[in-house]
Amino acid sequence: MAHQRARSPGSTVSGHDAMISARATRLWLIAYVLTASHASATVVEVPGVGASTIQQGLDVASAGDSVVVAPGVYTGFGNRDLDFNGKAITLMADGPAASVTIDCEYAGSAVRFQSDDHGPSIVSGFVITRAPEFAVLASGAGNVKVTECVFTENQGGACVVASDATLEVTGCVFEDNDTRGIFAEASAVIIRNSMFRGNRDANGAGGTFVYCELVAIEECVFSGNAATQRGGALYFDGSWNPGAVTGCTIVGNSAGEVCGGVYLHAGQSLAFERTILRDNCAPEPGVDLFLFDSDDLNSVSMTCCALSLAGICCEGQEIELIGAQVEEKPQFCDPMDCGTAPTSSGDYRLAPSSPCTAAASPCGEWVGANLGLCLPAGAPVANLQETHRIRVLPNPSRGAFSIETLSVLPRASELVIISANGRIARRVGVEAGESRWEWDGLLEDGRSAPNGVYFLSIPGVVSPSPSGVLQR
């Protein structure tokens, strides 16, 4: 069966509501601009004329096109082992969050990038489930971006595997997989605003295994993951350039041998900043952070982090503690003990009295992933998915459009429109308490925005991720 219409909410994938409720930073905007001089780029709809399966949509699409998939559960030949054929295409789910599922039925992967000339290629907004070996494979020298996807009930080597490629993962949830979330043996990996919880791996890293030249992990949560051996949350093995873990929460993970938190094997240069790293467990010392003793020494620094020095094992190496750290308990709303891992349960927002809030931390900034504060007892619990969700009006549009959030912004920032190649197209100042803005479709210099895919970001509030369609 190639395609089924969407089931009732919550019935497509078990455990799915919990994943969505944790996605506090979700914000959608993708603008596809067709100008008179670039009329060849199109939007291919699935199902649609000549495209009854997702693969048929990818086959008829050209580089620069978008393939938009209607809500439903997609199974069978033509809806798994998807191949972009070396073309820079945006493959995106349409409809409400998590309404489009690629069910691999343990018969293959979801997407395979195996050409050295692809990129940037984008996969966005899907629930990807029941892949037996890996769900997304990026093998080659291209640039692959995975945004706003949910990975659950997958098995094998990892949900996302990157080899000799540049991988960017933004706004994704990896939950309840019988494998690690990401395995990156790549030139570079960037992971932002994502959640890894309840994953279990037979070897190292229930969350992420990294062996690459450059790594940056920002505003992520690693909780309740378990590894049979070492590195329940993160395992680093051979990053040749300085890496950074910034604004992350790494708690409640476990390992069967060494280090439930972050395991550094050899030769790492890694900077932790504004990160909560504590309350993980393993039989051996170094339950939170373990530096393996080898000829290639690790270089590690920690700035304004929440940690327990008793949870760190250096094996004769030194960690540079820059400035004051937070040694008190973070005061999460409802944390899970690491002995319960693997588990996707737990609420890792902070109590108002937490020493990790911007008002109380030694650096004056939020420590850990900013999921917000616990609500007072008896207050209604909001769906965090909707916290900063937006709508684009009109959509599609032939000119200017309005961007409207469903809640006001908590602080002043700026709305940044970004092209698919990473260049800033336009900046618009936004103030705390605002919820609506306009973009006239013009660039900073007043020219009309050229044909292409655009993203919206509000730094410090929302990372870039896709959403609607604009046509001229």
Side-chain angles (χ1 to χ4, degrees), residues 211-224:
Y211 183 90
C212 61
E213 296 180 13
L214 177 65
V215 58
I217 303 176
E218 304 169 359
E219 293 289 335
C220 292
V221 176
F222 296 83
S223 66

Side-chain angles (χ1 to χ4, degrees), residues 3-70:
H3 173 244
Q4 300 174 348
R5 281 296 171 185
R7 304 173 188 173
S8 60
S11 65
T12 301
V13 179
S14 62
H16 165 254
D17 288 342
M19 288 181 285
I20 295 302
S21 67
R23 300 168 72 180
T25 56
R26 180 182 179 88
L27 181 68
W28 286 87
L29 173 69
I30 188 172
Y32 195 85
V33 184
L34 300 182
T35 65
S37 60
H38 296 87
S40 60
T42 59
V43 175
V44 178
E45 296 183 351
V46 178
V49 177
S52 60
T53 68
I54 301 175
Q55 185 60 61
Q56 288 175 342
L58 293 170
D59 290 342
V60 302
S62 300
D65 288 351
S66 294
V67 176
V68 180
V69 183

Side-chain angles (χ1 to χ4, degrees), residues 229-278:
Q229 297 180 11
R230 54 187 68 88
L234 286 160
Y235 189 121
F236 291 92
D237 187 5
S239 297
W240 300 285
N241 290 307
V245 178
T246 306
C248 291
T249 297
I250 307 171
V251 297
N253 305 283
S254 71
E257 295 181 0
V258 179
C259 189
V262 182
Y263 183 91
L264 278 65
H265 185 257
Q268 309 300 304
S269 178
L270 193 61
F272 292 89
E273 184 175 351
R274 296 185 291 103
T275 289
I276 301 175
L277 177 57
R278 60 176 302 143

Side-chain angles (χ1 to χ4, degrees), residues 363-445:
C363 57
E365 298 183 69
W366 193 282
V367 178
N370 192 343
L371 302 179
L373 297 173
C374 305
L375 297 174
V381 178
N383 182 346
L384 293 180
Q385 173 206 359
E386 303 294 337
T387 301
H388 297 302
R389 183 126 184 243
I390 67 167
R391 56 183 178 178
V392 180
L393 301 171
N395 187 21
S397 170
R398 296 186 179 276
F401 58 81
S402 299
I403 303 163
E404 182 177 299
T405 61
L406 299 185
S407 63
V408 298
L409 293 185
R411 54 182 176 275
S413 185
E414 62 179 355
L415 182 154
V416 185
I417 307 295
I418 306 169
S419 65
N421 62 9
R423 296 182 178 178
I424 294 176
R426 188 72 178 271
R427 297 177 185 268
V428 178
V430 298
E431 299 296 330
E434 291 184 338
S435 62
R436 185 182 176 94
W437 309 272
E438 306 290 329
W439 184 39
D440 54 12
L442 300 180
L443 301 173
E444 288 285 304
D445 60 7

Side-chain angles (χ1 to χ4, degrees), residues 46-122:
V46 178
V49 177
S52 60
T53 68
I54 301 175
Q55 185 60 61
Q56 288 175 342
L58 293 170
D59 290 342
V60 302
S62 300
D65 288 351
S66 294
V67 176
V68 180
V69 183
V73 179
Y74 291 76
T75 63
F77 181 77
N79 292 313
R80 60 172 180 259
D81 295 319
L82 302 173
D83 190 346
F84 279 44
N85 298 310
K87 297 177 289 188
I89 296 172
T90 295
L91 175 63
M92 65 178 290
D94 196 10
S99 63
V100 185
T101 296
I102 298 176
D103 185 348
C104 299
E105 301 178 291
Y106 300 119
S109 61
V111 184
R112 296 171 180 253
F113 300 97
Q114 299 186 83
S115 173
D116 61 4
D117 59 352
H118 60 75
S121 297
I122 302 169

